[in-house]
Amino acid sequence: MSFADRVQNPALRTKIMSADEAAALIPAGANVGMSGFTGAGYPKAVPQALARRIESLHAAGEEFRIGLWTGASTAPELDGALAKVHGIEMRLPYQSDPTCRRQINAGEMQYTDMHLSNVAQFVWFGFLGKLSVAVVEVAGILPDGRLIPSSSVGNNKTWLDQADQIILEVNTLQNPGLEGMHDIYYGTRLPPHRQPIPLTGPGDRIGEPYLTCDLDKVIAVVPTSQPDRNSAFAAPDENSQRIASHIIEFLQQEVKLGRLPAELLPLQSGVGNIANAVLAGLNDGPFKDLTAYTEVLQDGMLDMLRSGTLAMASATALSFSPVALADFNENIDFYRERIVLRPQEISNHPEVVRRLGVIAMNAMIEADLYGNVNSTHIMGSSIMNGIGGSGDFARNAYLSFFMTPSVAKDGAISCIVPMASHVDHTEHDVEIIVTEQGLADLRGLSPTQRARLIIEKCAHPDFRPALLDYFERSLKTAAGKHTPHLLDEALSWHSRYLKTGDMRPVAAVQEALHLV
């Protein structure tokens, strides 16, 4: 389908221009809402053109930076390009770009890490300031001006509604068969006029297939033909497979005990190799007629849809490897009947997550003895990516899993520590912790019961004795026995790593290296 076929509205055809011309319309200091969620559906041409403009302005001694708002992470053509020229003053709500991360941790870029379900309503409330420009990728424009969404929805509905001006990128490389896969809900109201969201099953359609906007606000329509960031996933390693087997065994036991139906409850899964390993295990397991209510649809769920293990999936974005994308494009008519793409304010809506009884499975960086989880920071101070939607799901899920290998950096770091160096998910929202060592079901346990179980089931054997020693001594000497800590030692493992590059005491490292 040609670009002319993609832009069918006569008024918007008069606004077709190059990416450089469109980028010149974005003012310095503007808050710019760009589409994109986990490397899908982000604008490709305008951000790169804007980066070129910023670079030339900086070379001439003129300052130019913007506030950049998206759905979640994007790709090198957006985050990477703008960060490279130091063009981002404030970034929100989530990022995964290495240049952004470096600048944030160096204090060169401000960053607001937010629950993804909060972003749209914060913009509507006016909490984040004025949204000047929306730059949104679409797959096409209908004669009446309705927009065919791209491979992600994210916050696009809010950007189009709230921005003063709109730039549309029409990407002819996006499959036209995406039309009809989306469900854009326009029933959201602000307090005190909110109404219940009429969604009672993952496959319910409560909106319409298209985005709409005030066509008078559109200042540019930019043609592009560039692919999403489609990265191949590494094959699940042994640790990921062991984590997956622990989870599947646990779910089977929950079904046997009558606490889950045979078809389970809607699945939510974070992105990454552990998540894909869990999904692969579910696909090979005994479960049938499963459903998903999640943020991102990746390779593992596509495999499950193809096999019939997964009956349908609801998400806000697609994030596929090149092989999976080829399958998706070739069989898009099959998948359109089984996939619903929604705005992230609906895909991540806490009340809907609780109503559906979602089984949430998310990755973490570390957990402490009592089940507090750090999913965002390295050694307490340096941001990794962000909280994403894990908090939206974890607090409201029927079952909340957090997963990680028990050690990192070739065994120098324990992912089970005396005290988490940063807490994103408190012990109140964490029900099940899983490492390759085992699974700790924390439901209904006191803090000290949790600690013993986490040490026994989840800690790596190299760190288990030291964790148990810390815990036993804290029971004896801490002022309070409910959640005992030795405050002088609680973060000493992190301090030791920052000083020596290893959480283990020197003697333990020497022994591990056979130096003593």
Side-chain angles (χ1 to χ4, degrees), residues 145-482:
R146 287 178 298 168
L147 310 174
I148 302 171
S150 184
S151 51
S152 71
V153 182
N155 288 313
N156 294 351
K157 169 185 160 291
T158 294
W159 297 165
L160 295 169
D161 286 346
Q162 288 288 291
D164 292 336
Q165 297 179 314
I166 296 169
I167 297 172
L168 298 174
E169 271 201 20
V170 182
N171 190 347
T172 57
L173 208 59
Q174 293 287 3
N175 194 322
L178 286 167
E179 185 174 0
M181 189 174 287
H182 307 83
D183 186 61
I184 313 302
Y185 179 62
Y186 279 96
T188 304
R189 300 289 182 267
L190 302 185
H193 306 294
R194 276 186 167 156
Q195 296 294 315
I197 295 170
L199 196 156
T200 59
D204 289 356
R205 289 182 174 272
I206 60 174
E208 53 192 80
Y210 306 104
L211 290 161
T212 60
C213 69
D214 179 349
L215 300 187
D216 290 336
K217 295 198 300 184
V218 178
I219 58 174
V221 176
V222 177
T224 186
S225 183
Q226 297 182 47
D228 284 336
R229 182 195 70 196
N230 301 117
S231 303
F233 293 99
D237 59 17
E238 182 180 354
N239 281 345
S240 297
Q241 291 173 335
R242 290 176 67 181
I243 290 170
S245 68
H246 295 319
I247 292 174
I248 292 164
E249 181 181 356
F250 174 85
L251 293 174
Q252 288 178 287
Q253 182 68 11
E254 290 294 290
V255 171
K256 184 178 180 180
L257 292 171
R259 295 195 288 233
L260 282 174
E263 67 278 12
L264 303 182
L265 288 167
L267 304 172
Q268 178 264 332
S269 175
V271 176
N273 293 327
I274 294 178
N276 265 322
V278 173
L279 297 174
L282 288 168
N283 199 26
D284 295 335
F287 305 109
K288 301 297 178 187
D289 298 320
L290 304 180
T291 60
Y293 194 83
T294 190
E295 298 173 311
V296 181
L297 198 69
Q298 56 180 341
D299 288 21
M301 284 190 179
L302 205 65
D303 292 340
M304 294 171 74
L305 286 168
R306 190 167 53 248
S307 73
T309 302
L310 190 65
M312 70 79 50
S314 168
T316 193
L318 308 172
S319 182
F320 298 140
S321 69
V323 172
L325 178 63
D327 169 68
F328 175 80
N329 284 327
E330 184 176 347
N331 299 288
I332 196 164
D333 291 339
F334 169 84
Y335 290 120
R336 194 188 306 108
E337 301 301 316
R338 294 162 176 82
I339 294 173
V340 182
L341 296 179
R342 311 180 188 277
Q344 72 188 62
E345 65 191 85
I346 303 298
S347 69
N348 289 48
H349 197 287
E351 191 275 329
V352 175
V353 169
R354 177 164 291 194
R355 183 190 307 169
L356 297 180
V358 170
I359 296 173
M361 298 176 285
N362 290 286
M364 65 180 181
I365 291 172
E366 65 183 3
D368 68 22
L369 296 182
Y370 303 111
N372 298 292
V373 163
N374 168 19
S375 62
T376 61
H377 283 70
I378 304 298
M379 297 296 141
S381 300
S382 297
I383 192 74
M384 186 63 184
N385 297 328
I387 195 170
S390 58
D392 299 326
F393 287 94
R395 173 161 289 188
N396 301 285
Y398 181 83
L399 291 173
S400 176
F401 293 86
F402 280 95
M403 313 171 292
T404 183
S406 61
V407 293
K409 296 292 184 182
D410 297 321
I413 293 176
S414 174
C415 297
I416 305 297
V417 293
M419 178 181 280
S421 60
H422 177 92
V423 176
D424 298 290
H425 311 280
T426 73
E427 61 188 276
H428 311 290
D429 302 327
V430 179
E431 295 175 339
I432 302 153
I433 291 177
V434 195
T435 74
E436 83 286 358
Q437 299 296 322
L439 180 149
D441 180 0
L442 308 177
R443 293 174 296 177
L445 301 184
S446 70
T448 53
Q449 290 172 326
R450 284 174 164 238
R452 293 191 187 280
L453 191 63
I454 290 170
I455 293 170
E456 175 190 351
K457 296 291 188 180
C458 299
H460 192 278
D462 287 353
F463 289 95
R464 199 173 293 153
L467 287 166
L468 188 58
D469 173 70
Y470 173 89
F471 176 64
E472 296 290 359
R473 287 188 293 111
S474 69
L475 276 174
K476 294 177 181 177
T477 62
K481 308 304 182 187
H482 177 62

Side-chain angles (χ1 to χ4, degrees), residues 21-32 34 46-47 50 53 64 66 133 135 165 167 219:
E21 291 172 316
L25 301 176
I26 297 175
N31 288 323
V32 182
M34 295 200 185
V46 172
L50 181 60
R53 178 186 171 205
F64 192 113
I66 64 169
V133 182
V135 184
Q165 297 179 314
I167 297 172
I219 58 174

Side-chain angles (χ1 to χ4, degrees), residues 87-119:
I88 304 172
E89 174 66 29
M90 166 64 80
R91 181 72 174 89
L92 64 86
Y94 183 92
Q95 59 76 43
S96 63
D97 182 79
T99 306
C100 279
R101 184 184 303 122
R102 185 166 56 252
Q103 291 182 10
I104 292 166
N105 288 323
E108 299 167 359
M109 181 191 300
Q110 299 302 311
Y111 177 53
T112 299
D113 186 22
M114 297 174 60
H115 294 297
L116 297 187
S117 66
N118 279 343
V119 181

Side-chain angles (χ1 to χ4, degrees), residues 121-138:
Q121 67 173 2
F122 274 28
V123 175
W124 281 98
F125 295 163
F127 291 174
L128 304 178
K130 178 182 177 181
L131 180 61
S132 298
V133 182
V135 184
V136 175
E137 180 185 91
V138 296

